[in-house]
Amino acid sequence: LLAGAGGRPLAGKRAVVTAGPTFEPIDPVRGLTNRSSGKQGYAIAAALAELGAEVTLVSGPTALGAPTGVTRIDVESALEMQAATRSALPADIAVLSAAVADWRVDTIAGGKIKKGPGGPPTLALIENPDILAGVAAPGPNRPALVIGFAAETADLEANARAKLSRKGCDWIIGNDVSDDVFGSDGNAVLLVTADRTEAWPRQSKTAIARAVAARIADHFKAPE
Ligand code: CTP
Ligand code: CA
């Protein structure tokens, strides 16, 4: 360890973190979104900054203030989140925790859609790009460590492991969202890497974030 680096082991490292939901407009007053308070992602951004990393937080709409020492870029839609995330590269570390809406409406109505005798509108949806898979894809801008999340209501480990290989990221943090997670200050997660799975017991989102940041610092000290 370099003298003086003990408290800030991530000094000199750049990190990009996504957090919160995305909001996909239907018309000027309505939209599709996902459940996410942003608390876990914000806590990870704060914990990385505490360890000395230079952190850009790309955030969907949340009620949270930017953590101290973190540069926040506010976005709404998945396409905006993707552009802002790309603009934060190159980085050494990417932690993509956002609850990205999987679909957006194909054509956003320019004016408010009115109720009428014709009944409800039919919304044609198209799939949003996978921001995580794009960041994790091989290339000159791929961060050395790319971490995704998996929000599941069943088969957490199998689904998390499937996402690890499908998206090409290095670690997946699996969340069972059938528990009390959304908006809560507590969380229990699985850390899934290529060669092992660890179950972390329920603890505060701040404690999980500090443990993730410490694990990231270890990784750069002694690459796996
Ligand atoms: N993710 C992303 N871009 C998307 C969808 C997801 O970057 N368009 C990221 C999330 O930020 C998270 C990870 O991919 O880190 C897994 O998200 P999740 O919703 O659990 O997985 P999906 O691949 O969307 O699969 P599904 O929702 O069908 O389970
Ligand atoms: Ca999804």
Side-chain angles (χ1 to χ4, degrees), residues 73-108:
I73 303 177
D74 290 312
V75 298
E76 286 201 334
S77 68
L79 291 176
E80 289 168 5
M81 182 171 278
Q82 181 183 49
T85 302
R86 283 185 176 156
S87 77
L89 300 179
D92 305 284
I93 302 154
V95 184
L96 303 196
S97 72
V100 181
D102 291 313
W103 306 283
R104 67 179 184 274
V105 299
D106 197 359
T107 309
I108 302 168

PDB file of all heavy atoms in Angstrom, residues 73-108:
ATOM      1  N   ILE A  73     -25.568  13.943 -12.957  1.00  0.00           N
ATOM      2  CA  ILE A  73     -26.194  14.324 -14.218  1.00  0.00           C
ATOM      3  C   ILE A  73     -27.636  13.802 -14.151  1.00  0.00           C
ATOM      4  O   ILE A  73     -27.862  12.606 -13.979  1.00  0.00           O
ATOM      5  CB  ILE A  73     -25.479  13.688 -15.432  1.00  0.00           C
ATOM      6  CG1 ILE A  73     -23.990  14.072 -15.454  1.00  0.00           C
ATOM      7  CG2 ILE A  73     -26.162  14.094 -16.733  1.00  0.00           C
ATOM      8  CD1 ILE A  73     -23.200  13.413 -16.590  1.00  0.00           C
ATOM      9  N   ASP A  74     -28.602  14.699 -14.253  1.00  0.00           N
ATOM     10  CA  ASP A  74     -30.013  14.307 -14.181  1.00  0.00           C
ATOM     11  C   ASP A  74     -30.543  13.947 -15.553  1.00  0.00           C
ATOM     12  O   ASP A  74     -30.342  14.691 -16.514  1.00  0.00           O
ATOM     13  CB  ASP A  74     -30.846  15.461 -13.612  1.00  0.00           C
ATOM     14  CG  ASP A  74     -30.558  15.678 -12.131  1.00  0.00           C
ATOM     15  OD1 ASP A  74     -30.562  14.685 -11.383  1.00  0.00           O
ATOM     16  OD2 ASP A  74     -30.323  16.834 -11.742  1.00  0.00           O
ATOM     17  N   VAL A  75     -31.235  12.819 -15.629  1.00  0.00           N
ATOM     18  CA  VAL A  75     -31.846  12.386 -16.887  1.00  0.00           C
ATOM     19  C   VAL A  75     -33.264  11.908 -16.591  1.00  0.00           C
ATOM     20  O   VAL A  75     -33.624  11.687 -15.433  1.00  0.00           O
ATOM     21  CB  VAL A  75     -31.038  11.246 -17.549  1.00  0.00           C
ATOM     22  CG1 VAL A  75     -29.622  11.701 -17.904  1.00  0.00           C
ATOM     23  CG2 VAL A  75     -30.986   9.995 -16.667  1.00  0.00           C
ATOM     24  N   GLU A  76     -34.040  11.733 -17.657  1.00  0.00           N
ATOM     25  CA  GLU A  76     -35.367  11.125 -17.483  1.00  0.00           C
ATOM     26  C   GLU A  76     -35.439   9.770 -18.178  1.00  0.00           C
ATOM     27  O   GLU A  76     -35.621   8.760 -17.538  1.00  0.00           O
ATOM     28  CB  GLU A  76     -36.462  12.075 -18.003  1.00  0.00           C
ATOM     29  CG  GLU A  76     -36.689  13.235 -17.054  1.00  0.00           C
ATOM     30  CD  GLU A  76     -38.037  13.905 -17.203  1.00  0.00           C
ATOM     31  OE1 GLU A  76     -38.632  13.843 -18.304  1.00  0.00           O
ATOM     32  OE2 GLU A  76     -38.484  14.516 -16.206  1.00  0.00           O
ATOM     33  N   SER A  77     -35.291   9.746 -19.480  1.00  0.00           N
ATOM     34  CA  SER A  77     -35.545   8.496 -20.218  1.00  0.00           C
ATOM     35  C   SER A  77     -34.303   7.607 -20.275  1.00  0.00           C
ATOM     36  O   SER A  77     -33.184   8.034 -20.002  1.00  0.00           O
ATOM     37  CB  SER A  77     -35.972   8.844 -21.640  1.00  0.00           C
ATOM     38  OG  SER A  77     -34.884   9.420 -22.333  1.00  0.00           O
ATOM     39  N   ALA A  78     -34.533   6.363 -20.686  1.00  0.00           N
ATOM     40  CA  ALA A  78     -33.426   5.413 -20.855  1.00  0.00           C
ATOM     41  C   ALA A  78     -32.448   5.900 -21.925  1.00  0.00           C
ATOM     42  O   ALA A  78     -31.230   5.752 -21.775  1.00  0.00           O
ATOM     43  CB  ALA A  78     -33.969   4.037 -21.225  1.00  0.00           C
ATOM     44  N   LEU A  79     -32.970   6.492 -22.991  1.00  0.00           N
ATOM     45  CA  LEU A  79     -32.062   6.972 -24.049  1.00  0.00           C
ATOM     46  C   LEU A  79     -31.174   8.094 -23.522  1.00  0.00           C
ATOM     47  O   LEU A  79     -29.979   8.149 -23.827  1.00  0.00           O
ATOM     48  CB  LEU A  79     -32.853   7.429 -25.280  1.00  0.00           C
ATOM     49  CG  LEU A  79     -33.563   6.314 -26.062  1.00  0.00           C
ATOM     50  CD1 LEU A  79     -34.400   6.901 -27.198  1.00  0.00           C
ATOM     51  CD2 LEU A  79     -32.575   5.274 -26.605  1.00  0.00           C
ATOM     52  N   GLU A  80     -31.766   8.973 -22.692  1.00  0.00           N
ATOM     53  CA  GLU A  80     -30.953  10.031 -22.078  1.00  0.00           C
ATOM     54  C   GLU A  80     -29.932   9.439 -21.108  1.00  0.00           C
ATOM     55  O   GLU A  80     -28.784   9.896 -21.033  1.00  0.00           O
ATOM     56  CB  GLU A  80     -31.849  11.027 -21.319  1.00  0.00           C
ATOM     57  CG  GLU A  80     -32.687  11.905 -22.228  1.00  0.00           C
ATOM     58  CD  GLU A  80     -33.768  12.679 -21.460  1.00  0.00           C
ATOM     59  OE1 GLU A  80     -33.824  12.610 -20.209  1.00  0.00           O
ATOM     60  OE2 GLU A  80     -34.574  13.337 -22.127  1.00  0.00           O
ATOM     61  N   MET A  81     -30.360   8.417 -20.354  1.00  0.00           N
ATOM     62  CA  MET A  81     -29.437   7.795 -19.400  1.00  0.00           C
ATOM     63  C   MET A  81     -28.270   7.140 -20.139  1.00  0.00           C
ATOM     64  O   MET A  81     -27.103   7.236 -19.716  1.00  0.00           O
ATOM     65  CB  MET A  81     -30.180   6.773 -18.534  1.00  0.00           C
ATOM     66  CG  MET A  81     -29.281   6.125 -17.475  1.00  0.00           C
ATOM     67  SD  MET A  81     -30.203   5.120 -16.304  1.00  0.00           S
ATOM     68  CE  MET A  81     -30.793   6.371 -15.155  1.00  0.00           C
ATOM     69  N   GLN A  82     -28.576   6.513 -21.255  1.00  0.00           N
ATOM     70  CA  GLN A  82     -27.516   5.866 -22.034  1.00  0.00           C
ATOM     71  C   GLN A  82     -26.510   6.907 -22.550  1.00  0.00           C
ATOM     72  O   GLN A  82     -25.296   6.713 -22.453  1.00  0.00           O
ATOM     73  CB  GLN A  82     -28.118   5.088 -23.207  1.00  0.00           C
ATOM     74  CG  GLN A  82     -27.065   4.378 -24.034  1.00  0.00           C
ATOM     75  CD  GLN A  82     -27.666   3.667 -25.225  1.00  0.00           C
ATOM     76  OE1 GLN A  82     -28.451   4.236 -25.984  1.00  0.00           O
ATOM     77  NE2 GLN A  82     -27.319   2.401 -25.377  1.00  0.00           N
ATOM     78  N   ALA A  83     -27.026   8.017 -23.079  1.00  0.00           N
ATOM     79  CA  ALA A  83     -26.133   9.051 -23.623  1.00  0.00           C
ATOM     80  C   ALA A  83     -25.266   9.653 -22.517  1.00  0.00           C
ATOM     81  O   ALA A  83     -24.060   9.845 -22.688  1.00  0.00           O
ATOM     82  CB  ALA A  83     -26.952  10.139 -24.313  1.00  0.00           C
ATOM     83  N   ALA A  84     -25.871   9.924 -21.355  1.00  0.00           N
ATOM     84  CA  ALA A  84     -25.115  10.533 -20.259  1.00  0.00           C
ATOM     85  C   ALA A  84     -24.071   9.551 -19.711  1.00  0.00           C
ATOM     86  O   ALA A  84     -22.966   9.947 -19.344  1.00  0.00           O
ATOM     87  CB  ALA A  84     -26.064  10.968 -19.142  1.00  0.00           C
ATOM     88  N   THR A  85     -24.442   8.273 -19.671  1.00  0.00           N
ATOM     89  CA  THR A  85     -23.504   7.255 -19.168  1.00  0.00           C
ATOM     90  C   THR A  85     -22.311   7.154 -20.107  1.00  0.00           C
ATOM     91  O   THR A  85     -21.153   7.133 -19.670  1.00  0.00           O
ATOM     92  CB  THR A  85     -24.228   5.903 -19.026  1.00  0.00           C
ATOM     93  OG1 THR A  85     -25.328   6.077 -18.138  1.00  0.00           O
ATOM     94  CG2 THR A  85     -23.298   4.825 -18.484  1.00  0.00           C
ATOM     95  N   ARG A  86     -22.591   7.114 -21.409  1.00  0.00           N
ATOM     96  CA  ARG A  86     -21.490   7.051 -22.376  1.00  0.00           C
ATOM     97  C   ARG A  86     -20.596   8.272 -22.274  1.00  0.00           C
ATOM     98  O   ARG A  86     -19.373   8.176 -22.419  1.00  0.00           O
ATOM     99  CB  ARG A  86     -22.055   6.968 -23.792  1.00  0.00           C
ATOM    100  CG  ARG A  86     -22.562   5.580 -24.125  1.00  0.00           C
ATOM    101  CD  ARG A  86     -22.990   5.556 -25.580  1.00  0.00           C
ATOM    102  NE  ARG A  86     -23.404   4.221 -25.980  1.00  0.00           N
ATOM    103  CZ  ARG A  86     -24.235   3.978 -26.981  1.00  0.00           C
ATOM    104  NH1 ARG A  86     -24.756   4.981 -27.676  1.00  0.00           N
ATOM    105  NH2 ARG A  86     -24.550   2.740 -27.293  1.00  0.00           N
ATOM    106  N   SER A  87     -21.211   9.433 -22.021  1.00  0.00           N
ATOM    107  CA  SER A  87     -20.417  10.669 -21.970  1.00  0.00           C
ATOM    108  C   SER A  87     -19.533  10.700 -20.722  1.00  0.00           C
ATOM    109  O   SER A  87     -18.587  11.483 -20.651  1.00  0.00           O
ATOM    110  CB  SER A  87     -21.318  11.902 -22.028  1.00  0.00           C
ATOM    111  OG  SER A  87     -21.915  12.118 -20.771  1.00  0.00           O
ATOM    112  N   ALA A  88     -19.850   9.864 -19.725  1.00  0.00           N
ATOM    113  CA  ALA A  88     -19.029   9.809 -18.501  1.00  0.00           C
ATOM    114  C   ALA A  88     -17.841   8.858 -18.663  1.00  0.00           C
ATOM    115  O   ALA A  88     -17.006   8.746 -17.766  1.00  0.00           O
ATOM    116  CB  ALA A  88     -19.883   9.384 -17.322  1.00  0.00           C
ATOM    117  N   LEU A  89     -17.770   8.152 -19.789  1.00  0.00           N
ATOM    118  CA  LEU A  89     -16.636   7.257 -20.062  1.00  0.00           C
ATOM    119  C   LEU A  89     -15.535   8.055 -20.754  1.00  0.00           C
ATOM    120  O   LEU A  89     -15.820   9.060 -21.392  1.00  0.00           O
ATOM    121  CB  LEU A  89     -17.093   6.091 -20.939  1.00  0.00           C
ATOM    122  CG  LEU A  89     -18.196   5.208 -20.336  1.00  0.00           C
ATOM    123  CD1 LEU A  89     -18.586   4.107 -21.322  1.00  0.00           C
ATOM    124  CD2 LEU A  89     -17.762   4.608 -19.004  1.00  0.00           C
ATOM    125  N   PRO A  90     -14.271   7.651 -20.688  1.00  0.00           N
ATOM    126  CA  PRO A  90     -13.803   6.437 -20.025  1.00  0.00           C
ATOM    127  C   PRO A  90     -13.830   6.535 -18.499  1.00  0.00           C
ATOM    128  O   PRO A  90     -13.722   7.623 -17.938  1.00  0.00           O
ATOM    129  CB  PRO A  90     -12.359   6.303 -20.522  1.00  0.00           C
ATOM    130  CG  PRO A  90     -11.942   7.701 -20.857  1.00  0.00           C
ATOM    131  CD  PRO A  90     -13.186   8.390 -21.331  1.00  0.00           C
ATOM    132  N   ALA A  91     -14.004   5.382 -17.875  1.00  0.00           N
ATOM    133  CA  ALA A  91     -13.965   5.288 -16.422  1.00  0.00           C
ATOM    134  C   ALA A  91     -13.342   3.938 -16.069  1.00  0.00           C
ATOM    135  O   ALA A  91     -13.309   3.034 -16.907  1.00  0.00           O
ATOM    136  CB  ALA A  91     -15.372   5.394 -15.840  1.00  0.00           C
ATOM    137  N   ASP A  92     -12.872   3.824 -14.840  1.00  0.00           N
ATOM    138  CA  ASP A  92     -12.300   2.558 -14.384  1.00  0.00           C
ATOM    139  C   ASP A  92     -13.378   1.619 -13.864  1.00  0.00           C
ATOM    140  O   ASP A  92     -13.240   0.397 -13.920  1.00  0.00           O
ATOM    141  CB  ASP A  92     -11.288   2.834 -13.255  1.00  0.00           C
ATOM    142  CG  ASP A  92     -10.227   3.830 -13.700  1.00  0.00           C
ATOM    143  OD1 ASP A  92      -9.340   3.419 -14.463  1.00  0.00           O
ATOM    144  OD2 ASP A  92     -10.318   5.020 -13.315  1.00  0.00           O
ATOM    145  N   ILE A  93     -14.449   2.234 -13.341  1.00  0.00           N
ATOM    146  CA  ILE A  93     -15.480   1.476 -12.622  1.00  0.00           C
ATOM    147  C   ILE A  93     -16.843   1.929 -13.122  1.00  0.00           C
ATOM    148  O   ILE A  93     -17.100   3.130 -13.231  1.00  0.00           O
ATOM    149  CB  ILE A  93     -15.404   1.794 -11.104  1.00  0.00           C
ATOM    150  CG1 ILE A  93     -14.021   1.455 -10.530  1.00  0.00           C
ATOM    151  CG2 ILE A  93     -16.518   1.087 -10.334  1.00  0.00           C
ATOM    152  CD1 ILE A  93     -13.653   2.284  -9.292  1.00  0.00           C
ATOM    153  N   ALA A  94     -17.730   0.980 -13.425  1.00  0.00           N
ATOM    154  CA  ALA A  94     -19.127   1.318 -13.735  1.00  0.00           C
ATOM    155  C   ALA A  94     -20.020   0.481 -12.827  1.00  0.00           C
ATOM    156  O   ALA A  94     -19.866  -0.740 -12.766  1.00  0.00           O
ATOM    157  CB  ALA A  94     -19.447   1.041 -15.200  1.00  0.00           C
ATOM    158  N   VAL A  95     -20.914   1.145 -12.115  1.00  0.00           N
ATOM    159  CA  VAL A  95     -21.895   0.436 -11.292  1.00  0.00           C
ATOM    160  C   VAL A  95     -23.263   0.889 -11.784  1.00  0.00           C
ATOM    161  O   VAL A  95     -23.685   2.019 -11.533  1.00  0.00           O
ATOM    162  CB  VAL A  95     -21.749   0.751  -9.787  1.00  0.00           C
ATOM    163  CG1 VAL A  95     -22.734  -0.093  -8.982  1.00  0.00           C
ATOM    164  CG2 VAL A  95     -20.320   0.511  -9.302  1.00  0.00           C
ATOM    165  N   LEU A  96     -23.937   0.022 -12.549  1.00  0.00           N
ATOM    166  CA  LEU A  96     -25.192   0.425 -13.177  1.00  0.00           C
ATOM    167  C   LEU A  96     -26.352  -0.154 -12.374  1.00  0.00           C
ATOM    168  O   LEU A  96     -26.743  -1.300 -12.556  1.00  0.00           O
ATOM    169  CB  LEU A  96     -25.198   0.002 -14.646  1.00  0.00           C
ATOM    170  CG  LEU A  96     -24.019   0.569 -15.473  1.00  0.00           C
ATOM    171  CD1 LEU A  96     -24.304   0.449 -16.968  1.00  0.00           C
ATOM    172  CD2 LEU A  96     -23.703   2.023 -15.147  1.00  0.00           C
ATOM    173  N   SER A  97     -26.846   0.660 -11.445  1.00  0.00           N
ATOM    174  CA  SER A  97     -27.882   0.192 -10.524  1.00  0.00           C
ATOM    175  C   SER A  97     -29.263   0.702 -10.907  1.00  0.00           C
ATOM    176  O   SER A  97     -30.237   0.375 -10.235  1.00  0.00           O
ATOM    177  CB  SER A  97     -27.545   0.642  -9.101  1.00  0.00           C
ATOM    178  OG  SER A  97     -27.746   2.035  -8.963  1.00  0.00           O
ATOM    179  N   ALA A  98     -29.349   1.510 -11.956  1.00  0.00           N
ATOM    180  CA  ALA A  98     -30.646   2.117 -12.277  1.00  0.00           C
ATOM    181  C   ALA A  98     -31.690   1.057 -12.632  1.00  0.00           C
ATOM    182  O   ALA A  98     -31.377   0.009 -13.187  1.00  0.00           O
ATOM    183  CB  ALA A  98     -30.496   3.095 -13.443  1.00  0.00           C
ATOM    184  N   ALA A  99     -32.929   1.368 -12.297  1.00  0.00           N
ATOM    185  CA  ALA A  99     -34.072   0.551 -12.713  1.00  0.00           C
ATOM    186  C   ALA A  99     -34.570   1.133 -14.030  1.00  0.00           C
ATOM    187  O   ALA A  99     -35.454   1.986 -14.064  1.00  0.00           O
ATOM    188  CB  ALA A  99     -35.155   0.596 -11.647  1.00  0.00           C
ATOM    189  N   VAL A 100     -33.933   0.693 -15.110  1.00  0.00           N
ATOM    190  CA  VAL A 100     -34.219   1.248 -16.437  1.00  0.00           C
ATOM    191  C   VAL A 100     -35.546   0.655 -16.933  1.00  0.00           C
ATOM    192  O   VAL A 100     -35.737  -0.555 -16.879  1.00  0.00           O
ATOM    193  CB  VAL A 100     -33.087   0.871 -17.422  1.00  0.00           C
ATOM    194  CG1 VAL A 100     -33.350   1.471 -18.795  1.00  0.00           C
ATOM    195  CG2 VAL A 100     -31.728   1.324 -16.885  1.00  0.00           C
ATOM    196  N   ALA A 101     -36.430   1.512 -17.412  1.00  0.00           N
ATOM    197  CA  ALA A 101     -37.680   1.004 -17.991  1.00  0.00           C
ATOM    198  C   ALA A 101     -37.324   0.174 -19.222  1.00  0.00           C
ATOM    199  O   ALA A 101     -36.547   0.607 -20.072  1.00  0.00           O
ATOM    200  CB  ALA A 101     -38.597   2.158 -18.371  1.00  0.00           C
ATOM    201  N   ASP A 102     -37.858  -1.033 -19.302  1.00  0.00           N
ATOM    202  CA  ASP A 102     -37.470  -1.928 -20.395  1.00  0.00           C
ATOM    203  C   ASP A 102     -38.063  -1.499 -21.735  1.00  0.00           C
ATOM    204  O   ASP A 102     -37.517  -1.834 -22.775  1.00  0.00           O
ATOM    205  CB  ASP A 102     -37.901  -3.363 -20.059  1.00  0.00           C
ATOM    206  CG  ASP A 102     -37.068  -3.927 -18.912  1.00  0.00           C
ATOM    207  OD1 ASP A 102     -35.824  -3.784 -18.962  1.00  0.00           O
ATOM    208  OD2 ASP A 102     -37.653  -4.479 -17.957  1.00  0.00           O
ATOM    209  N   TRP A 103     -39.176  -0.763 -21.673  1.00  0.00           N
ATOM    210  CA  TRP A 103     -39.840  -0.358 -22.911  1.00  0.00           C
ATOM    211  C   TRP A 103     -40.171   1.124 -22.876  1.00  0.00           C
ATOM    212  O   TRP A 103     -40.359   1.716 -21.821  1.00  0.00           O
ATOM    213  CB  TRP A 103     -41.157  -1.142 -23.069  1.00  0.00           C
ATOM    214  CG  TRP A 103     -40.962  -2.624 -22.983  1.00  0.00           C
ATOM    215  CD1 TRP A 103     -40.453  -3.445 -23.954  1.00  0.00           C
ATOM    216  CD2 TRP A 103     -41.272  -3.473 -21.862  1.00  0.00           C
ATOM    217  NE1 TRP A 103     -40.422  -4.756 -23.495  1.00  0.00           N
ATOM    218  CE2 TRP A 103     -40.915  -4.794 -22.221  1.00  0.00           C
ATOM    219  CE3 TRP A 103     -41.801  -3.254 -20.590  1.00  0.00           C
ATOM    220  CZ2 TRP A 103     -41.078  -5.877 -21.361  1.00  0.00           C
ATOM    221  CZ3 TRP A 103     -41.970  -4.336 -19.731  1.00  0.00           C
ATOM    222  CH2 TRP A 103     -41.615  -5.632 -20.132  1.00  0.00           C
ATOM    223  N   ARG A 104     -40.254   1.700 -24.053  1.00  0.00           N
ATOM    224  CA  ARG A 104     -40.749   3.072 -24.194  1.00  0.00           C
ATOM    225  C   ARG A 104     -41.815   3.052 -25.283  1.00  0.00           C
ATOM    226  O   ARG A 104     -41.840   2.120 -26.100  1.00  0.00           O
ATOM    227  CB  ARG A 104     -39.616   4.036 -24.540  1.00  0.00           C
ATOM    228  CG  ARG A 104     -39.008   3.817 -25.924  1.00  0.00           C
ATOM    229  CD  ARG A 104     -37.881   4.826 -26.220  1.00  0.00           C
ATOM    230  NE  ARG A 104     -37.372   4.672 -27.579  1.00  0.00           N
ATOM    231  CZ  ARG A 104     -36.425   3.806 -27.931  1.00  0.00           C
ATOM    232  NH1 ARG A 104     -35.899   2.980 -27.047  1.00  0.00           N
ATOM    233  NH2 ARG A 104     -36.022   3.749 -29.182  1.00  0.00           N
ATOM    234  N   VAL A 105     -42.647   4.078 -25.312  1.00  0.00           N
ATOM    235  CA  VAL A 105     -43.654   4.101 -26.375  1.00  0.00           C
ATOM    236  C   VAL A 105     -42.967   4.514 -27.675  1.00  0.00           C
ATOM    237  O   VAL A 105     -42.059   5.347 -27.693  1.00  0.00           O
ATOM    238  CB  VAL A 105     -44.861   5.016 -26.058  1.00  0.00           C
ATOM    239  CG1 VAL A 105     -45.585   4.543 -24.804  1.00  0.00           C
ATOM    240  CG2 VAL A 105     -44.457   6.457 -25.939  1.00  0.00           C
ATOM    241  N   ASP A 106     -43.422   3.898 -28.731  1.00  0.00           N
ATOM    242  CA  ASP A 106     -42.799   4.065 -30.042  1.00  0.00           C
ATOM    243  C   ASP A 106     -42.888   5.520 -30.498  1.00  0.00           C
ATOM    244  O   ASP A 106     -41.907   6.103 -30.943  1.00  0.00           O
ATOM    245  CB  ASP A 106     -43.520   3.133 -31.026  1.00  0.00           C
ATOM    246  CG  ASP A 106     -42.717   2.917 -32.285  1.00  0.00           C
ATOM    247  OD1 ASP A 106     -41.625   3.495 -32.402  1.00  0.00           O
ATOM    248  OD2 ASP A 106     -43.197   2.176 -33.147  1.00  0.00           O
ATOM    249  N   THR A 107     -44.082   6.116 -30.356  1.00  0.00           N
ATOM    250  CA  THR A 107     -44.277   7.504 -30.782  1.00  0.00           C
ATOM    251  C   THR A 107     -44.897   8.286 -29.635  1.00  0.00           C
ATOM    252  O   THR A 107     -46.006   7.985 -29.200  1.00  0.00           O
ATOM    253  CB  THR A 107     -45.222   7.571 -32.008  1.00  0.00           C
ATOM    254  OG1 THR A 107     -44.727   6.663 -32.993  1.00  0.00           O
ATOM    255  CG2 THR A 107     -45.285   8.972 -32.573  1.00  0.00           C
ATOM    256  N   ILE A 108     -44.147   9.260 -29.108  1.00  0.00           N
ATOM    257  CA  ILE A 108     -44.654  10.079 -28.012  1.00  0.00           C
ATOM    258  C   ILE A 108     -45.664  11.074 -28.589  1.00  0.00           C
ATOM    259  O   ILE A 108     -45.358  11.770 -29.567  1.00  0.00           O
ATOM    260  CB  ILE A 108     -43.489  10.819 -27.318  1.00  0.00           C
ATOM    261  CG1 ILE A 108     -42.461   9.813 -26.790  1.00  0.00           C
ATOM    262  CG2 ILE A 108     -43.997  11.728 -26.207  1.00  0.00           C
ATOM    263  CD1 ILE A 108     -41.133  10.446 -26.356  1.00  0.00           C
TER     264      ILE A 108
END
